[in-house]
Amino acid sequence: MNTEKPKSEIRDQKFRNTILVNLLTMFLLLVGTTGYIRADERNGAGTGLLNMSVGEYKYMLTNERTVLEGLKKLLELKQRRALQDEDMTTELVAESEDLSISKKKGNYGIVLYSIKADLLSMEDILQALASASGKKIIIDEDIDKEKVSSIISIYLENTPLVDIVDVILGAKGLEPIISENLIFITLPAKLNVVSSYGYYQEKAIQAYQKAMIRYPDYEGIARAYYELGNFYLASNFPSIALQEFKTITAGYPGHPLAKESRFNEGRCYVMLDDPEKARVSFSDYVQRYPNESNVDDTYLIIGDLWKKQDNYEKAIENYNYVIKEYHDSNSVIFAHMRLGKAYLDAGDYSLALQTFLDMKEKFQSETDMQAYRSGDTILTSDRIVLPDKIRYELEYQLGNCYYLLGEYNEAISILKNFVFYEKNNDVMDKAYFKLADCFFKTEDFLTAFQLYTGALAEYPESSLSSHGFLYSGKSLRLMKMLDSAVGMLNKGLSEHYDSIYAESIKYEIGLCYLDDENYKRAFDIFIKIAERKKDKNLAVKAKIFAGVSLARDKQFEKAIESYLEVLDGEVTEKQRDWISGLIGDSYSELGLLTEAVKAYQQDIKNKIVMGVPLQ
């Protein structure tokens, strides 16, 4: 009885063993452990890791794991290649006490090498490989000679020459270019590969691309397209990634990866800042795969994209759909929050408030709140419990809604409890500044000032800091503490000279000088704001106050000219009434009562048209 295994099965087993060896070697290189390759010296990688933050290290590790997974998938593809039914004779081409190299003819005319080297210099091993393959080796003159003289050990079986050289040089972050007669070793930087991670990523991408060209009709090649798309997506090349995913959805619609690829098409469009196409892609995804576990989250994304296109009606429709159809899912919490914020953005503060109140009643009891405040553990129940981040934002938004509705005492009641009882969170600075705004609106300027300065001290890096400086100064000015107000405003301006509130801070400084009867300085500030025209409405008000500064300085004729210049531009009806009254006041001061009456009656525009002199 013949107990020998068929040759094809033996070849399959050997090929699988070779694949496993290659994979293990790649793994050892990527994660930096010792094994088949050992160096006698530490390179700069160890020092680099010491200088990394935990977040940076985790990010690097995640990326390298992605590359490793990609290489693993590629090796799985290689396992599926049809092997030719022919004997493969092994030829020993180099042998010594520390080194042996053999080669044999493999599939598709590829020559496979087996190498075993113990504690030899990298350069000696490369020279031996070059000799065994009949090639000449050249090392780029810019490469540090110590890199290629490192002592290593390596063991690989039945591996193409290019892969062996890649593995050896990869340990030192070098790049080979192999032609028919030459092995040229150079630096990755010269090939736009900036790191060992980039080195392996580029190699993986090249291998996938070769596989696509070589096996276009093989259904499993969809995996290569998918992994390549993921590489491009992770590398922030969404336009290229999109083409890879589209190839799968168009060419392999029945493949299991077509589903993920269709979802990733939407992700690509989001990264490309094309909300319309992104929304269409995600909508197509939920229609095709209505039973997938991420469909509820995808509807939320679709709602977000509608909102980004300022279509609040459609956004609200999507959020309500999730609330109705996925009420047992955690997504319903985020749907409620997004729904309330959509109403806020649409300017419907009452519906926003009702949404947030409903959300609080549904997902958070007073017992929960007391437990959070006391630090006790909340017993689990059938109710969906709000995550801390959402719970914090909910309290803030309730106070915010009351503020926007002008119900300042209600807002103060909520925000005060929030600020004093809750732990630090992402919206604490917003709540603090909003609470100060409420006291400012109720004209309790002293409390408002104290809260603004407290928030500025507690959250100096907050995006609302410039707002805090502006309203701290406003509060001081309204309390007639003008010198302190100017000092606070100038400090805010020096720290936030390029913020959206910078012009408003300058305007407030001008008002301080005006109140302090320093009319020249006030005029200079107002006229500069008007000339810059960074904020159209503020520029008009500054031009008006430039005229007020002139009038208070008894320069009535110049004040009237300044007012008329404003009237000659675009102004609101309210501003026109204001300016007409100021012009009438200036004429009264000049003793021109007839002109004053006409000004009060807003007859100034007709005089300008007819060219009638002012005096």
Side-chain angles (χ1 to χ4, degrees):
M1 180 176 178
N2 186 2
T3 59
E4 293 184 1
K5 294 182 179 180
K7 290 183 178 180
S8 60
E9 185 177 345
I10 294 173
R11 286 196 300 270
D12 286 347
Q13 182 62 43
K14 287 183 176 179
F15 188 71
R16 282 193 292 271
N17 290 340
T18 301
I19 294 299
L20 290 174
V21 170
N22 289 344
L23 179 57
L24 179 60
T25 303
M26 293 290 186
F27 175 76
L28 293 173
L29 282 171
L30 285 172
V31 300
T33 59
T34 58
Y36 289 104
I37 298 180
R38 301 189 304 272
D40 67 338
E41 58 184 18
R42 292 185 62 179
N43 56 26
T47 303
L49 287 176
L50 291 176
N51 294 326
M52 280 187 182
S53 68
V54 174
E56 290 171 334
Y57 178 76
K58 287 182 177 179
Y59 178 77
M60 180 196 74
L61 189 60
T62 299
N63 280 343
E64 295 198 346
R65 281 177 177 167
T66 302
V67 175
L68 180 60
E69 183 64 24
L71 292 171
K72 182 179 178 182
K73 299 299 182 185
L74 181 61
L75 293 173
E76 289 173 359
L77 288 176
K78 290 184 176 181
Q79 280 185 293
R80 295 175 177 267
R81 292 178 180 174
L83 296 173
Q84 294 179 349
D85 291 327
E86 61 176 330
D87 291 327
M88 300 179 183
T89 304
T90 300
E91 175 187 358
L92 186 66
V93 292
E95 185 176 25
S96 68
E97 182 178 351
D98 302 316
L99 173 69
S100 67
I101 300 176
S102 60
K103 67 179 181 179
K104 64 180 179 182
K105 185 179 179 182
N107 301 303
Y108 311 109
I110 297 175
V111 178
L112 302 176
Y113 291 82
S114 295
I115 179 171
K116 182 177 181 180
D118 293 317
L119 299 176
L120 288 178
S121 77
M122 183 186 294
E123 187 173 12
D124 288 343
I125 296 172
L126 291 170
Q127 290 288 0
L129 283 168
S131 177
S133 59
K135 301 180 188 295
K136 182 179 180 181
I137 187 167
I138 298 177
I139 300 175
D140 194 315
E141 62 182 9
D142 291 332
I143 293 176
D144 185 350
K145 297 303 180 183
E146 292 185 2
K147 279 194 172 185
V148 292
S149 63
S150 300
I151 304 300
I152 66 172
S153 295
I154 182 170
Y155 172 56
L156 290 171
E157 287 188 344
N158 300 328
T159 305
L161 177 68
V162 63
D163 292 340
I164 295 176
V165 176
D166 276 348
V167 167
I168 294 172
L169 297 180
K172 289 296 180 180
L174 301 175
E175 173 75 18
I177 299 175
I178 301 178
S179 65
E180 183 178 354
N181 301 312
L182 179 67
I183 300 175
F184 178 64
I185 301 172
T186 187
L187 296 167
K190 293 189 175 184
L191 302 176
N192 294 322
V193 181
V194 297
S195 66
S196 60
Y197 164 68
Y199 173 88
Y200 282 107
Q201 185 183 49
E202 290 294 325
K203 286 296 174 186
I205 289 174
Q206 291 169 15
Y208 280 133
Q209 290 170 334
K210 290 177 183 177
M212 292 171 190
I213 294 171
R214 195 161 196 172
Y215 309 105
D217 298 325
Y218 172 45
E219 185 180 353
I221 207 65
R223 167 66 68 176
Y225 283 109
Y226 180 74
E227 295 298 340
L228 190 55
N230 284 335
F231 277 131
Y232 286 129
L233 203 58
S235 302
N236 200 29
F237 294 115
S239 58
I240 305 176
L242 180 63
Q243 300 310 311
E244 306 300 337
F245 295 129
K246 280 184 172 294
T247 299
I248 299 172
T249 56
Y252 308 91
H255 195 281
L257 290 174
K259 179 171 53 183
E260 286 85 352
S261 298
R262 198 169 297 278
F263 183 84
N264 283 344
E265 285 180 21
R267 292 177 60 202
C268 290
Y269 283 124
V270 169
M271 293 177 67
L272 289 166
D273 197 24
D274 191 336
E276 176 66 21
K277 289 184 179 178
R279 181 181 53 76
V280 171
S281 291
F282 286 125
S283 297
D284 182 53
Y285 175 81
V286 296
Q287 294 300 318
R288 287 175 179 267
Y289 311 106
N291 298 320
E292 284 302 303
S293 61
N294 66 339
V295 166
D296 50 350
D297 290 328
T298 307
Y299 274 112
L300 293 180
I301 296 172
I302 294 170
D304 294 344
L305 292 167
W306 276 120
K307 193 166 71 144
K308 188 170 185 179
Q309 294 178 282
D310 296 328
N311 193 327
Y312 298 109
E313 182 180 349
K314 286 290 187 180
I316 289 167
E317 181 181 318
N318 273 269
Y319 300 143
N320 275 322
Y321 180 80
V322 175
I323 291 171
K324 178 182 177 182
E325 299 296 329
Y326 299 94
H327 50 81
D328 292 330
S329 166
N330 282 335
S331 295
V332 73
I333 293 174
F334 300 97
H336 273 92
M337 180 57 71
R338 282 171 160 88
L339 178 62
K341 293 169 80 170
Y343 283 130
L344 278 178
D345 291 343
D348 196 334
Y349 306 138
S350 295
L351 276 177
L353 175 61
Q354 190 57 54
T355 300
F356 292 131
L357 288 172
D358 291 344
M359 185 178 176
K360 184 171 183 177
E361 181 181 359
K362 187 172 184 179
F363 301 113
Q364 181 174 290
S365 68
E366 185 58 32
T367 303
D368 295 336
M369 290 298 295
Q370 291 172 358
Y372 275 116
R373 290 170 184 170
S374 65
D376 294 339
T377 301
I378 299 176
L379 298 177
T380 58
S381 67
D382 293 335
R383 290 189 306 108
I384 298 174
V385 179
L386 293 179
D388 280 353
K389 185 174 182 179
I390 299 297
R391 184 174 59 83
Y392 292 143
E393 184 168 4
L394 175 58
E395 289 298 306
Y396 165 74
Q397 292 295 1
L398 286 169
N400 185 38
C401 286
Y402 281 120
Y403 171 85
L404 293 170
L405 289 167
E407 299 180 31
Y408 301 119
N409 290 327
E410 288 288 343
I412 288 171
S413 177
I414 290 175
L415 294 171
K416 184 168 61 175
N417 288 334
F418 181 76
V419 168
F420 292 137
Y421 288 107
E422 296 297 346
K423 302 174 184 177
N424 287 333
N425 56 76
D426 292 343
V427 294
M428 183 64 81
D429 60 328
K430 293 181 182 179
Y432 214 142
F433 282 110
K434 185 67 70 174
L435 179 61
D437 289 343
C438 290
F439 281 103
F440 183 89
K441 289 290 186 180
T442 57
E443 300 186 2
D444 186 347
F445 301 121
L446 177 59
T447 303
F449 170 73
Q450 291 171 337
L451 286 169
Y452 284 128
T453 53
L456 287 169
E458 190 75 18
Y459 306 101
E461 302 301 320
S462 171
S463 60
L464 297 171
S465 289
S466 56
H467 171 88
F469 277 110
L470 171 61
Y471 279 88
S472 293
K474 276 179 175 283
S475 300
L476 289 169
R477 179 176 67 81
L478 292 168
M479 289 188 291
K480 306 301 180 184
M481 302 171 67
L482 300 177
D483 289 341
S484 297
V486 171
M488 176 64 72
L489 292 164
N490 276 323
K491 182 180 180 183
L493 192 61
S494 66
E495 294 184 15
H496 303 280
Y497 59 89
D498 58 347
S499 83
I500 59 172
Y501 291 106
E503 290 295 287
S504 296
I505 291 174
K506 294 173 185 176
Y507 177 80
E508 192 64 33
I509 293 172
L511 292 178
C512 288
Y513 284 127
L514 186 63
D515 289 350
D516 200 30
E517 300 181 1
N518 192 337
Y519 304 126
K520 186 179 186 310
R521 294 195 70 173
F523 174 81
D524 290 341
I525 290 173
F526 290 133
I527 206 67
K528 286 178 181 177
I529 295 173
E531 289 172 350
R532 281 193 292 267
K533 298 181 181 179
K534 290 186 176 181
D535 182 322
K536 183 178 178 181
N537 185 55
L538 193 65
V540 171
K541 291 196 294 184
K543 183 67 173 176
I544 294 171
F545 271 108
V548 172
S549 300
L550 290 169
R552 290 191 185 179
D553 200 28
K554 309 300 183 184
Q555 301 181 57
F556 300 113
E557 294 88 348
K558 288 185 178 180
I560 292 171
E561 290 177 9
S562 181
Y563 296 141
L564 290 174
E565 286 178 12
V566 181
L567 280 179
D568 203 29
E570 294 183 20
V571 293
T572 65
E573 285 302 315
K574 186 175 181 180
Q575 288 171 337
R576 184 173 297 278
D577 292 341
W578 179 24
I579 296 168
S580 297
L582 291 172
I583 292 174
D585 292 343
S586 292
Y587 277 131
S588 295
E589 292 291 340
L590 290 169
L592 301 173
L593 299 182
T594 302
E595 300 300 332
V597 171
K598 290 181 179 180
Y600 292 137
Q601 294 175 345
Q602 298 190 33
D603 195 30
I604 298 298
K605 184 177 180 181
N606 293 332
K607 290 191 68 173
I608 295 173
V609 172
M610 294 184 296
V612 177
L614 293 174
Q615 296 187 42

